[in-house]
Amino acid sequence: MLTVAVTGATGAQGGATARALLKAGHRVRALTRQPASPAAEALRDLGAEVRQADFDDRASLDTALAGSDSLFAVTTPFGTDLTTEVRQGKALVDAAAAAGLGHIVLTTVAHADRGTAVPHYESKRLVEQHLGASGVPWTVIAPAAFMDNYATGWTLDGLRTGTFAWPMPADRPLTLIPAADIGAFAALVLQRSGEFAGRRIDIASDERTPAQMAEILAGAVGIAITHQQVPLAQVRQRSADLAAMFEYFTTVGLDVDVVALHRDYPEVGWHSFADWATAQDWPTLLSAATTNRRH
């Protein structure tokens, strides 16, 4: 039985990893800035130990990591900025190294090691490089585009009117993965550290074009949905970072060997885009989108 410290435990990737580890019978130490939050309470109910930790407070990291066997690490530029993400990511790696942990599994993004010029990919590459020089056994798992994002934001708003608004051509394939599969793969890596130490692995569960996604979403939601290509200039008005990402998706592409992953790691239970879409509670999601737009 492992004791695994999990950062971002109240978020999508960390939460999925914590649940997968608990299900496999391991001890989870959920690190969060807000240990009294409903998400933290839900993890406690599942058997996790919740500890307060702040990436900008080294003492809190040292205390939270002490006695752990390994660490699942996630950083995010959203809600902060890229400089903060790099600083916090390096601080987390340094604290894990000082605590003498046996394995760090860092989740970043697919292709972050390829010089994409996408700002939030480049910040993650800097954290990856720091991890590689830390002296601690490490693995980088690098997820493709998140399926979960298709049930939020402008995509969800568009679905209400029968539009799948996405800043890519209808026929350009994109590799995809849900948070649940990231968590399942991370748990696998943490449990088989000897096999995965020193490896960087891009991961995805499925590959679909926007036209195919619109068709799948139509079947899941139960209404006619058509793909509408959002101009990159429109995305750029919201975020130059995201515009750069979608430009990369369109021009270079986010290729990940989905077939090999399914073949080599069937125990992950990979979910197709159709699996994910069918499992969503669309009436509640679409109702919430309508309510939010009224306020």
Side-chain angles (χ1 to χ4, degrees):
M1 184 189 293
L2 296 170
T3 297
V4 184
V6 177
T7 62
T10 56
Q13 295 187 71
T17 301
R19 289 189 291 274
L21 287 166
L22 287 166
K23 187 176 180 181
H26 298 285
R27 287 184 291 261
V28 169
R29 189 175 292 176
L31 275 52
T32 175
R33 286 180 300 172
Q34 298 178 312
S37 69
E41 198 57 46
L43 286 172
R44 275 195 196 90
D45 291 343
L46 291 173
E49 175 192 2
V50 178
R51 292 203 180 185
Q52 194 279 334
D54 188 322
F55 288 175
D56 286 322
D57 179 358
R58 176 59 186 266
S60 75
L61 288 176
D62 290 341
T63 300
L65 292 173
S68 298
D69 297 307
S70 47
L71 168 70
F72 174 80
V74 59
T75 63
T76 176
F78 303 112
T80 56
D81 57 67
L82 300 181
T83 303
T84 300
E85 180 186 22
V86 174
R87 183 186 73 245
Q88 291 181 340
K90 289 181 176 180
L92 180 59
V93 169
D94 291 345
L101 267 59
H103 191 197
I104 300 174
V105 175
L106 173 69
T107 177
T108 62
V109 288
H111 290 211
D113 60 335
R114 303 192 189 187
T116 62
V118 178
H120 74 277
Y121 284 34
E122 295 300 311
S123 58
K124 287 176 171 54
R125 179 162 70 157
L126 292 173
V127 179
E128 287 187 22
Q129 290 170 343
H130 191 74
L131 175 63
S134 69
V136 179
W138 59 269
T139 307
V140 172
I141 62 172
F146 288 6
M147 293 182 191
D148 308 79
N149 288 343
Y150 293 84
T152 62
W154 77 59
T155 307
L156 189 58
D157 288 341
L159 293 179
R160 290 176 45 251
T161 59
T163 301
F164 175 50
W166 200 246
M168 289 177 64
D171 60 350
R172 188 67 165 104
L174 180 66
T175 48
L176 306 157
I177 189 166
D181 289 2
I182 300 171
F185 191 79
L188 178 72
V189 170
L190 285 157
Q191 293 173 93
R192 288 156 50 178
S193 59
E195 176 184 342
F196 289 99
R199 295 175 62 188
R200 186 191 188 282
I201 308 169
D202 286 346
I203 58 172
S205 308
D206 200 1
E207 183 174 44
R208 295 290 166 187
T209 65
Q212 290 171 332
M213 287 185 255
E215 184 178 349
I216 290 167
L217 288 167
V221 177
I223 61 174
I225 294 172
T226 55
H227 168 251
Q228 180 182 54
Q229 185 174 351
V230 178
L232 281 178
Q234 189 174 320
V235 180
R236 201 168 283 114
Q237 289 177 346
R238 292 190 181 197
S239 167
D241 190 347
L242 291 181
M245 180 184 73
F246 284 113
E247 185 172 14
Y248 183 84
F249 287 173
T250 299
T251 57
V252 180
L254 202 61
D255 66 290
V256 179
D257 195 341
V258 173
V259 173
L261 287 163
H262 282 235
R263 180 194 67 225
D264 295 342
Y265 310 109
E267 56 270 75
V268 171
W270 306 97
H271 293 83
S272 69
F273 188 68
D275 294 334
W276 172 84
T278 303
Q280 304 310 302
D281 182 359
W282 292 109
T284 299
L285 287 166
L286 294 169
S287 172
T290 304
T291 302
N292 291 338
R293 286 176 70 89
R294 290 192 188 127
H295 292 83

